[in-house]
Amino acid sequence: MNVLLNNGHTMPMIGLGMYDMYGQEAERAIVRAIEIGYRLIDTASMYQNESELGNAWQRSGLKREDIFITTKVNNSDQGYDQTLKALEVSLAKLKTDYVDLYLLHWPLKLTRKQTWKAMEKIWKEGRAKSIGVANFLIPFLTEHYEYTEIIPAVNQVEFSPYLFLKDLLVHCQDKNIKMQAYSPLLRGLKLKDAKLVSIAAKYNRTTAQIKLRWCIQHGVCPIPKSVNPVRLLENFQVFDFQITEDDMRKLD
């Protein structure tokens, strides 16, 4: 299942997050995820595992156009010239000549404007199909519009039933910015919450699946992280059921 971004490109609704994944374990997880059906893999320069993704997608046998690769400019690489150089380093590690989504990882006060200008150049040159931001709350977005030529296609933030950023979601919807959720499973926390367990039981689903489905029904694209083959499959099986409006309100 894909979603349409504000620049006409599409992005898979669910993806695999690569935070804290390294080496052969990371490569195996990515290859397994691709076998299951994942097509969006999310990494970052800060994660120090772009090479693992580059190796894995080539091992998978997929054509480049059949996988959606996201990476992010590191805080230490922000600034105009530094961002242009940082992308070249990332592309080499990812074994590709473009990324599908390039994100400004954090809204650093002194460098976010020039970093975005460099990202706009990268987009115009076709080295990123889409550009976006991460960890931008409403004040940062409001300021961002004052100097941007291109509205971000995506805003990636922490988002879950335990961190329901309703005002930000409404704002992004109004601006046609697709929200993407990192840590939608809270890194395994709250999976045994009694209220969540009760709702999950009604649907004969795991609590992790309920969290992910909640994101999807809000129009937010989750990128759960796992290296466990069982959980990789479980996290992907969230498109064949619907949470009722009443239960959605409870989860909210």
Side-chain angles (χ1 to χ4, degrees):
M1 180 178 179
N2 290 336
V3 297
L4 183 65
L5 303 179
N6 61 20
N7 57 13
H9 288 286
T10 60
M11 180 177 75
M13 172 60 85
I14 194 168
L16 176 67
M18 283 189 63
Y19 176 77
D20 199 27
M21 293 169 55
Y22 306 100
Q24 287 298 312
E25 181 181 57
E27 290 187 29
R28 285 193 297 269
I30 296 165
V31 171
R32 178 59 184 141
I34 290 171
E35 290 172 349
I36 289 169
Y38 290 82
R39 289 298 179 266
L40 186 158
I41 314 294
D42 177 280
T43 186
S45 175
M46 184 182 291
Y47 302 166
Q48 298 183 7
N49 57 16
E50 290 171 312
S51 295
E52 284 90 326
L53 174 50
N55 293 338
W57 83 258
Q58 291 202 328
R59 279 176 52 194
S60 74
L62 283 182
K63 295 179 180 178
R64 175 63 186 88
E65 60 267 26
D66 293 332
I67 187 168
F68 190 105
I69 294 176
T70 299
T71 194
K72 312 172 189 78
V73 57
N74 199 356
N75 294 349
S76 60
D77 294 324
Q78 284 198 32
Y80 190 86
D81 291 335
Q82 297 95 312
T83 297
L84 298 178
K85 293 176 183 176
L87 178 68
E88 293 302 322
V89 173
S90 290
L91 291 177
K93 292 179 179 178
L94 293 165
K95 296 179 170 58
T96 181
D97 57 2
Y98 72 94
V99 291
D100 296 276
L101 179 61
Y102 199 38
L103 297 179
L104 197 168
H105 206 153
W106 288 93
L108 299 187
K109 182 176 182 180
L110 297 179
T111 52
R112 58 183 179 250
K113 180 177 180 179
Q114 290 306 314
T115 300
W116 187 257
K117 291 299 181 184
M119 292 174 66
E120 290 182 329
K121 174 179 171 65
I122 288 166
W123 178 80
K124 290 174 183 177
E125 293 174 346
R127 292 185 293 156
K129 299 293 185 183
S130 300
I131 55 175
V133 296
N135 301 295
F136 270 56
L137 300 180
I138 292 174
F140 296 114
L141 288 171
T142 301
E143 180 218 43
H144 189 72
Y145 306 140
E146 297 175 0
Y147 59 77
T148 183
E149 182 181 342
I150 300 167
I151 297 293
V154 172
N155 183 19
Q156 186 184 114
V157 295
E158 185 174 357
F159 186 85
S160 78
Y162 300 90
L163 185 60
F164 181 29
L165 303 174
K166 184 177 181 180
D167 290 345
L168 180 62
L169 177 57
V170 171
H171 178 94
C172 287
Q173 289 171 336
D174 287 345
K175 295 293 184 179
N176 199 20
I177 300 170
K178 179 56 65 175
M179 267 181 53
Q180 193 173 52
Y182 71 79
S183 295
L185 303 180
L186 281 81
R187 302 180 188 174
L189 298 176
K190 300 290 187 180
L191 291 177
K192 296 182 180 179
D193 182 305
K195 293 180 181 179
L196 188 61
V197 168
S198 176
I199 291 175
K202 288 176 58 177
Y203 298 89
N204 194 28
R205 296 286 173 159
T206 67
T207 50
Q209 288 173 322
I210 293 296
K211 286 183 182 182
L212 297 174
R213 183 67 202 180
W214 174 87
C215 287
I216 289 168
Q217 287 185 215
H218 274 302
V220 177
C221 304
I223 46 170
K225 174 252 177 172
S226 182
V227 297
N228 182 297
V230 174
R231 288 197 287 271
L232 283 169
L233 179 60
E234 173 189 317
N235 292 346
F236 198 72
Q237 294 176 327
V238 290
F239 295 104
D240 59 348
F241 74 102
Q242 188 87 3
I243 301 173
T244 66
E245 290 185 12
D246 183 55
D247 285 335
M248 284 293 290
R249 284 192 293 269
K250 292 176 182 176
L251 290 162
D252 292 349

